[in-house]
Amino acid sequence: MSAISRYGHADLPAIRQILLDVHADAYATEMHDPFHQTEKFAWFVDHWEARPSFDCLIAFDTGQPAGFAYGATAALGRETWREHLSPTPTPGTTFALSELMVRPKWRGTGLAQQLHNTLLAPGPSS
């Protein structure tokens, strides 16, 4: 893998089409399923990106996007697992991974695990 780049809330105009293109390739054989159609996925991208805590990684291999992972801080009141944890996390601090996709050419290379681990790793703002 050449590089993994990190993007935030303000970067969506620059990366939105990349996310849509990776999705289209990742689900090319399943576009008949309404859940995987580009229009529905575009809505999810816009929904998650609207959160100020939006965090996205895109992996590039020789300039081609190979996969991505993104998420944001879970919305208050949507942390349904909270009652099962002791002690409970501080409200508004739980990161929710929304999407992780790898294009077919890069599946089985460990890229999904690398994106997952990098996105969820504690960073300077954690």
Side-chain angles (χ1 to χ4, degrees):
M1 205 51 42
S2 297
I4 294 181
S5 299
R6 185 175 297 271
Y7 302 91
H9 172 73
D11 298 314
L12 187 65
I15 65 168
R16 187 175 191 271
Q17 192 60 51
I18 293 171
L19 301 180
L20 297 178
D21 291 347
V22 170
H23 170 267
D25 192 26
Y27 287 101
T29 62
E30 298 177 47
M31 284 298 169
H32 61 280
D33 180 339
F35 187 77
H36 295 301
Q37 292 175 351
T38 302
E39 296 79 21
K40 186 156 193 115
F41 179 67
W43 181 89
F44 280 105
V45 169
D46 295 340
H47 170 77
W48 280 89
E49 181 281 331
R51 298 178 185 198
S53 61
F54 176 77
D55 193 10
C56 177
L57 298 178
I58 302 176
F60 293 93
D61 185 14
T62 59
Q64 290 187 58
F68 66 81
Y70 71 74
T73 303
L76 293 175
R78 307 268 327 239
E79 298 167 325
T80 57
W81 63 91
R82 185 173 285 288
E83 67 189 53
H84 303 286
L85 299 176
S86 180
T88 59
T90 304
T93 62
T94 303
F95 186 83
L97 187 144
S98 175
E99 300 286 346
L100 189 151
M101 287 185 205
V102 175
R103 294 174 65 196
K105 179 179 175 180
W106 289 273
R107 291 181 184 157
T109 65
L111 178 57
Q113 186 71 54
Q114 185 180 6
L115 286 166
H116 175 272
N117 292 350
T118 303
L119 186 64
L120 298 181
S125 61
S126 297

